Amino acid sequence: TTQPTEATTQPTETTTQSTEITQPAETTAETLPPIDYTVFCGNYSDTETVEGPCYTVRIISVDNETKAIELEISFVGRNSSPIYVAEQICSTVTSDHTVQFEWKDSWENRGVGTLILNPDDPSTVQLMMTVTEEAEVNRATLSTHDEYKTFTRR
């Protein structure tokens, strides 16, 4: 037979396990690793060769600290001679990897544009250019007719 034991009056510790589910931290620009935009420097074309006719985008420089970017955009003819050349463009890369800019080409056409940089694939960029002021004398413009064109590094 078993004998009853004396009840103890000492408090007992109880431990509770938290079943709280923690959500992953929200990803923001502050938590992402910095992007090296200098990998985008180089020449891009909308065709397999730059012998023409084709659009070209040349990213001259990008400052990772200030996000300042310099680029040139042109359209070359069949014999690789530039037909429309935008003045050198200076702008800034935004947090969503886009570059908004104003342009003026060699025929005095003017417009606005957007360049999209894809950090996951620096071998391509996307460009859209729109004319806001058409020159009196010109055959065409650098406009992409409100559509994005994809350019590949050449």
Side-chain angles (χ1 to χ4, degrees):
T1 66
T2 60
Q3 294 193 344
T5 58
E6 276 185 35
T8 59
T9 58
Q10 292 182 342
T12 58
E13 271 188 44
T14 57
T15 57
T16 58
Q17 251 185 349
S18 173
T19 57
E20 183 180 322
I21 298 173
T22 57
Q23 297 294 324
E26 184 177 325
T27 303
T28 64
E30 291 82 33
T31 61
L32 291 174
I35 295 168
D36 179 10
Y37 286 107
T38 62
V39 299
F40 287 95
C41 291
N43 297 311
Y44 297 81
S45 172
D46 68 337
T47 61
E48 288 188 29
T49 66
V50 290
E51 294 171 4
C54 69
Y55 280 88
T56 61
V57 174
R58 179 175 167 238
I59 299 177
I60 302 164
S61 68
V62 184
D63 183 313
N64 282 322
E65 205 169 299
T66 64
K67 306 296 185 264
I69 185 170
E70 293 179 88
L71 59 119
E72 294 175 340
I73 299 168
S74 63
F75 181 81
V76 297
R78 294 187 195 286
N79 62 357
S80 300
S81 63
I83 297 176
Y84 303 98
V85 179
E87 292 179 353
Q88 188 168 319
I89 297 165
C90 297
S91 189
T92 306
V93 180
T94 64
S95 61
D96 63 351
H97 320 298
T98 62
V99 179
Q100 303 289 327
F101 59 89
E102 294 181 358
W103 57 272
K104 177 179 152 187
D105 70 19
S106 52
W107 288 77
E108 301 296 319
N109 297 296
R110 296 176 185 271
V112 294
T114 303
L115 181 72
I116 300 175
L117 308 174
N118 179 354
D120 296 326
D121 182 11
S123 68
T124 63
V125 296
Q126 289 188 304
L127 175 73
M128 180 171 56
M129 294 175 70
T130 304
V131 174
T132 57
E133 187 179 322
E134 196 168 311
E136 285 184 36
V137 178
N138 91 59
R139 295 184 289 174
T141 71
L142 287 169
S143 174
T144 61
H145 309 289
D146 296 325
E147 293 181 6
Y148 279 99
K149 287 182 151 292
T150 299
F151 292 74
T152 305
R153 186 186 308 270
R154 301 292 176 214

